[in-house]
């Protein structure tokens, strides 16, 4: 009896030891690799699937040096001087679009949609949008836009977006980090897991910085069930005169029920 | 006298033109209904950039004479029957609003709302769960959810909330949750926060969608009414560019009460007679 118990114990011990050594290995085999080598699911046309609602979780919108490589922005002395003498009011305070890359790290969610030949960014902030063609077409000529001209292409698992034609008036953050009209941004979006994208942007502007510099940050998927982008409107109080209060309380009840009753006609027919 | 002559010419040319295609149609066998191409998941494919032909609806949805603020004139407008079933108080307010263009929300760079946003070019993208409509003007946008989910509660928005479904080849979009600040046009036609719009996008050939909307708002009108216009596919090299609108308050000084008004001859003779 004792012998049987002993052998049973031994068996359990062996099995436990085997499990202890083998389980991490087997778990790893099942779990997809995270990080830069993560292979993202594909869209029907075979491109990495970046679709969904994403958001940053950092304070870059307030000070972009937080997410800059080495926490440093390599300013030219004359650019610093220009910045000191330039406008002191954040353009977004006047409801202007924040520009690229700032729109990415505004503290609002955004939705990525993919169609063959297109990647579309729909930002909740200021209902901004970027319709990006992934055909590497040449940049448009002669117009500067708040969100610039974005042209995309795929490099393996990564969406690369080349952005030029950016309006010199936009700021990189509310700490008044500025740039010139020579700004050139190259963004890289790489899925690193089921709910994460690594976002990286190279910021180049020979009129403002001594060298190109980089920012990077993770984008997190909003996994709240039923979460949808809502309307964010900025010009509600232009001229300091509140005309249209944002998000007025809705009438109670079913919005469809509310519209079914018409006032009864005073005059009856015939 | 000049107007009379112009009217005669227009009438005469219409008379000359209309009967020819009409008689041609009656003789020809009925064409089969257009069958649009499909997306990968089988929806009728409406993707592309569309340019509405609105007869100046942004100025007035009703028949209107041309003029400074009313742009080119339109003899038909886009409203079925050419008149709006306004409640008496609403008719009075609409008339008053024509003298207060400074209150026009589009002049303050607001979203236009539905149907107003549809008077300007837009691009349609279709995914299995939603259809996105991105407008060039005001960089407005809406996502039409196609998954059968209900409208949200306690939420009002300039663009409302759009939920859609397919009826054959027709995309039917139900728009509720509208605020009472957007307007139909620059001619004082407004709505309340119970506005309910049902839009129908029907492709009729590869370059045309017939757009039609039923407008339902018992706080402002006496019955639902309809408006419609065609959407034409933009040439292939067209791209949506950025429309900023809000570039600062440089226009504020021009938004002076009563400065811009609707020309006196805006309302058609028909309406004037009705008022009497």
């Amino acid at each position: 009896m004792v012998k049987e118990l002993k052998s049973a114990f031994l068996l359990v011990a062996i099995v436990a030891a085997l499990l202890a050594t083998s389980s991490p290995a087997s778990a790893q085999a099942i779990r997809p690799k995270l990080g830069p080598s993560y292979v993202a699911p594909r869209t029907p046309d075979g491109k990495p699937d970046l679709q969904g609602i994403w958001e940053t979780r950092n304070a870059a919108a307030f000070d972009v040096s937080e997410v800059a490589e080495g926490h440093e922005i390599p300013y030219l002395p004359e650019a610093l001087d220009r910045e000191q003498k330039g406008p002191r009011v954040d353009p977004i305070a006047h409801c202007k679009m924040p520009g690229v890359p700032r729109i990415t790290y505004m503290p609002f969610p955004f939705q990525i949609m993919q169609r063959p030949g297109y990647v579309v960014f729909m930002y909740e902030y200021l209902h901004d949008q970027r319709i990006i063609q992934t055909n590497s077409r040449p940049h448009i000529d002669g117009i500067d836009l708040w969100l610039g001209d974005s042209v995309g292409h795929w490099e393996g698992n990564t969406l690369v977006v080349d952005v030029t034609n950016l309006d010199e008036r936009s700021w990189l953050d509310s700490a008044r980090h500025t740039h010139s009209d020579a700004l050139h941004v190259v963004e890289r979006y790489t899925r690193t897991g089921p709910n994460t994208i690594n976002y990286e942007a190279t910021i180049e502007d020979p009129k403002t910085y001594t060298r190109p510099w980089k920012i990077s940050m993770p984008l997190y998927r909003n996994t709240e069930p039923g979460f949808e982008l809502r309307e964010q409107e900025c010009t509600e109080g232009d001229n300091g005169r509140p005309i249209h209060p944002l998000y007025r309380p809705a009438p109670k009840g079913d919005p469809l029920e509310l519209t079914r009753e018409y006032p009864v006609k005073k005059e009856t027919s015939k | 006298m000049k107007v009379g002559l112009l009217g005669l010419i227009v009438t005469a040319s219409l008379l000359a033109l209309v009967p020819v295609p009409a008689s041609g149609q009656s003789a020809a066998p009925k064409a089969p209904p257009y069958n649009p191409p499909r997306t990968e998941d089988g929806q009728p494919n409406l993707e592309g950039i569309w340019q509405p032909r609105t007869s100046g609806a942004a100025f007035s949805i009703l028949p209107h004479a041309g003029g400074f603020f009313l742009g080119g004139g339109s003899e038909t407008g886009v409203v079925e029957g050419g008149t709006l079933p306004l409640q008496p108080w609403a008719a009075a307010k609409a008339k008053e609003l024509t003298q207060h263009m400074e209150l026009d929300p589009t002049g303050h760079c607001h979203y236009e709302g539905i149907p107003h946003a549809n008077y300007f070019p837009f691009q349609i993208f279709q995914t299995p769960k939603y259809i996105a409509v991105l407008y060039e003007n005001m960089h407005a946008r809406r996502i039409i959810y196609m998954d059968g989910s209900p409208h949200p509660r306690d939420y009002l928005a300039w663009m409302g909330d759009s939920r859609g479904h397919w009826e054959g080849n027709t995309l039917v979009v139900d728009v509720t949750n509208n605020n009472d600040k957007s307007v139909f046009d620059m001619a004082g036609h407004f709505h309340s926060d119970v506005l309910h719009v049902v839009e129908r996008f029907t492709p009729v050939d590869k370059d045309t969608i017939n757009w039609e909307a039923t407008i339902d708002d018992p706080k402002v009108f006496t019955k639902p009414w309809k408006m419609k216009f065609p959407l034409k596919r933009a040439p292939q090299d067209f791209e949506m560019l950025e429309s900023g609108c809000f570039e600062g308050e440089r226009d504020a000084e021009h938004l002076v009460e009563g400065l811009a008004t609707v020309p006196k001859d805006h309302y058609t003779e028909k309406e004037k007679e009705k008022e009497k």
Side-chain angles (χ1 to χ4, degrees):
Chain A
M1 190 64 188
V2 172
K3 202 180 175 187
E4 269 175 37
L5 263 177
K6 253 187 179 171
S7 59
F9 181 74
L10 191 67
L11 191 68
V12 168
I14 289 167
V15 168
L18 270 173
L19 275 175
T21 51
S22 69
S23 64
S26 60
Q28 254 177 16
I30 296 159
R31 200 194 305 153
K33 266 191 176 171
L34 302 183
S37 57
Y38 172 79
V39 179
R42 292 299 194 255
T43 58
D45 62 327
K47 301 293 187 291
D49 193 340
L50 306 176
Q51 295 183 101
I53 298 176
W54 305 91
E55 54 204 22
T56 54
R57 291 176 195 163
N58 59 40
F62 306 101
D63 186 350
V64 74
S65 65
E66 292 271 318
V67 292
E69 215 170 52
H71 299 288
E72 187 201 7
I73 300 175
Y75 271 103
L76 286 165
E78 61 265 35
L80 266 180
D81 190 49
R82 189 182 69 216
E83 195 168 284
Q84 287 302 316
K85 289 175 184 156
R88 303 188 79 85
V89 179
D90 190 341
I92 68 165
H94 291 286
C95 300
K96 286 160 187 168
M97 291 183 236
V100 178
R102 192 180 182 185
I103 185 65
T104 309
Y105 47 77
M106 287 303 290
F108 288 84
F110 59 92
Q111 187 159 358
I112 300 179
M113 169 172 72
Q114 282 169 256
R115 297 294 297 143
Y118 286 100
V119 180
V120 181
F121 286 72
M122 300 182 282
Y123 301 91
E124 185 166 88
Y125 183 76
L126 215 51
H127 47 92
D128 282 351
Q129 58 195 38
R130 290 164 74 195
I131 303 175
I132 301 169
Q133 294 190 47
T134 50
N135 56 2
S136 296
R137 69 144 167 75
H139 281 290
I140 55 170
D141 201 20
I143 319 172
D144 279 354
L145 305 167
W146 286 102
L147 292 178
D149 181 48
S150 297
V151 179
H153 70 272
W154 294 96
E155 282 177 18
N157 277 321
T158 301
L159 169 69
V160 184
V161 186
D162 195 281
V163 194
T164 61
N165 302 59
L166 285 151
D167 195 303
E168 63 180 345
R169 290 171 292 175
S170 66
W171 290 6
L172 298 179
D173 55 26
S174 47
R176 197 154 51 103
H177 288 121
T178 59
H179 59 80
S180 79
D181 60 353
L183 178 64
H184 173 211
V185 180
V186 180
E187 299 175 284
R188 299 176 67 87
Y189 297 84
T190 313
R191 280 279 297 268
T192 49
N195 296 322
T196 47
I197 287 176
N198 185 54
Y199 175 75
E200 193 182 283
T202 305
I203 298 168
E204 190 188 352
D205 179 351
K207 289 187 195 169
T208 310
Y209 315 117
T210 57
R211 57 175 168 83
W213 53 285
K214 257 188 199 176
I215 59 168
S216 67
M217 65 192 76
L219 306 175
Y220 299 93
R221 185 191 295 280
N222 184 309
T223 53
E224 194 185 319
F227 185 88
E228 291 169 355
L229 291 189
R230 284 213 162 170
E231 185 171 280
Q232 200 272 344
E233 180 70 310
C234 178
T235 61
E236 302 285 337
D238 62 345
N239 218 10
R241 191 164 41 124
I243 304 167
H244 304 293
L246 183 67
Y247 295 158
R248 291 160 56 85
K252 293 268 182 293
D254 185 340
L256 282 177
E257 280 296 331
L258 287 166
T259 59
R260 287 196 189 131
E261 296 280 318
Y262 273 87
V264 186
K265 268 190 182 170
K266 276 174 192 166
E267 49 200 355
T268 48
S269 54
K270 282 168 200 174
Chain B
M1 204 55 211
K2 248 184 179 174
V3 175
L5 186 64
L6 184 70
L8 260 177
I9 293 166
V10 170
T11 318
S13 51
L14 278 175
L15 280 172
L17 281 170
V18 170
V20 180
S23 60
Q25 259 172 12
S26 63
K30 212 178 170 188
Y34 172 63
N35 197 19
R38 305 275 148 176
T39 60
E40 317 86 83
D41 60 318
Q43 307 171 47
N45 191 334
L46 308 183
E47 287 193 318
I49 301 177
W50 298 95
Q51 295 180 300
R53 300 289 155 89
T54 65
S55 320
F59 302 106
S60 177
I61 51 177
L62 291 180
H64 59 276
F68 168 53
F69 250 113
L70 290 170
S74 167
E75 295 201 2
T76 55
V78 292
V79 176
E80 204 175 72
T83 52
L84 285 175
L86 283 159
Q87 291 176 24
W89 75 271
K93 189 182 168 186
K95 208 168 177 187
E96 198 201 318
L97 279 175
T98 60
Q99 304 303 313
H100 291 280
M101 284 256 176
E102 81 281 1
L103 296 177
D104 186 332
T106 54
H108 295 270
C109 297
H110 286 298
Y111 268 128
E112 279 117 351
I114 304 297
H116 198 152
N118 287 348
Y119 309 160
F120 306 98
F122 53 84
Q123 186 160 7
I124 297 179
F125 293 96
Q126 285 171 255
T127 77
K129 283 185 185 157
Y130 62 87
I131 295 176
V133 184
L134 281 74
Y135 298 87
E136 185 164 78
N137 203 31
M138 309 279 183
H139 61 284
R141 155 190 86 223
R142 61 180 170 148
I143 297 175
I144 304 166
Y145 298 97
M146 302 294 286
D147 55 1
S149 52
H151 291 290
R153 294 191 170 217
D154 300 329
Y155 165 68
L156 291 184
W158 287 90
M159 296 295 281
D161 180 73
S162 296
R163 310 273 150 174
H165 67 273
W166 291 99
E167 285 177 14
N169 291 330
T170 300
L171 169 64
V172 183
V173 188
D174 197 280
V175 191
T176 63
N177 302 61
N178 298 286
N179 71 15
D180 60 356
K181 299 296 174 190
S182 68
V183 290
F184 292 111
D185 57 22
M186 293 167 74
H189 300 122
F190 67 100
H191 59 79
S192 80
D193 57 2
V194 298
L195 173 69
H196 175 202
V197 182
V198 180
E199 301 171 270
R200 299 177 67 87
F201 294 78
T202 309
V204 288
D205 63 50
K206 74 178 179 44
D207 295 324
T208 315
I209 292 175
N210 277 349
W211 178 86
E212 189 186 288
T214 305
I215 314 286
D216 189 11
D217 183 344
K219 279 194 190 170
V220 174
F221 304 104
T222 57
K223 59 177 188 219
W225 50 276
K226 273 187 184 174
M227 61 193 287
K228 61 178 173 189
F229 47 78
L231 312 170
K232 288 283 178 188
R233 191 182 291 281
Q236 203 134 43
D237 56 349
F238 264 45
E239 262 184 60
M240 302 277 290
L241 277 185
E242 177 182 286
S243 151
C245 188
F246 205 79
E247 301 278 323
E249 295 86 1
R250 283 174 302 186
D251 280 340
E253 60 188 284
H254 303 301
L255 298 170
V256 177
E257 197 169 307
L259 184 72
T261 56
V262 173
K264 286 222 167 65
D265 58 348
H266 162 55
Y267 289 101
T268 56
E269 292 299 322
K270 205 169 147 194
E271 277 176 281
K272 279 180 194 162
E273 274 167 34
K274 238 180 133 189
E275 275 172 29
K276 284 170 196 169

